[in-house]
Amino acid sequence: MTLLAPLAAAGFGLAMIGAALMALRARSTAVAVLAAGLVSLFASVLFLILAAPDVAMTEAAIGSGLTTFLFFYVLGRIRREGYDDD
């Protein structure tokens, strides 16, 4: 049981790096936004493993949820306004 937490933390850390690289290398903006949200979601689970539940809840709500929603909302507004100019 004692060895499980550091292994899980290392696994989620590697998953965060992988998702961040996917966000950087993505050709689509939507894929990049989803990958960035995934990084934040992995970070919230990592905070939970590290016994910081208040930080984990804040990261999940703001970082993963609200920020991803806000990015998609603004992306939709930009695309919609771009079509009106034509």
Side-chain angles (χ1 to χ4, degrees), residues 3 11 16 18-19 22-23 69 86:
L3 188 62
M16 284 174 59
M22 184 172 34
F69 170 76
D86 290 337

Side-chain angles (χ1 to χ4, degrees), residues 41-82:
L41 187 63
F42 285 148
S44 66
V45 174
L46 185 61
F47 287 136
L48 195 59
I49 291 171
L50 296 174
D54 52 342
V55 180
M57 284 179 47
T58 304
E59 180 68 28
I62 303 297
S64 184
L66 185 65
T67 304
T68 305
F69 170 76
L70 188 62
F71 276 140
F72 276 120
Y73 176 75
V74 170
L75 188 62
R77 292 289 304 255
I78 289 172
R79 287 184 180 165
R80 212 173 319 136
E81 290 178 8

Side-chain angles (χ1 to χ4, degrees), residues 1-57:
M1 184 90 175
T2 328
L3 188 62
L4 186 61
L7 287 177
F12 277 106
L14 287 174
M16 284 174 59
I17 292 171
L21 289 175
M22 184 172 34
L24 289 173
R25 306 269 302 158
R27 296 196 182 268
S28 169
T29 307
V31 172
V33 169
L34 285 175
L38 192 61
V39 170
S40 185
L41 187 63
F42 285 148
S44 66
V45 174
L46 185 61
F47 287 136
L48 195 59
I49 291 171
L50 296 174
D54 52 342
V55 180
M57 284 179 47

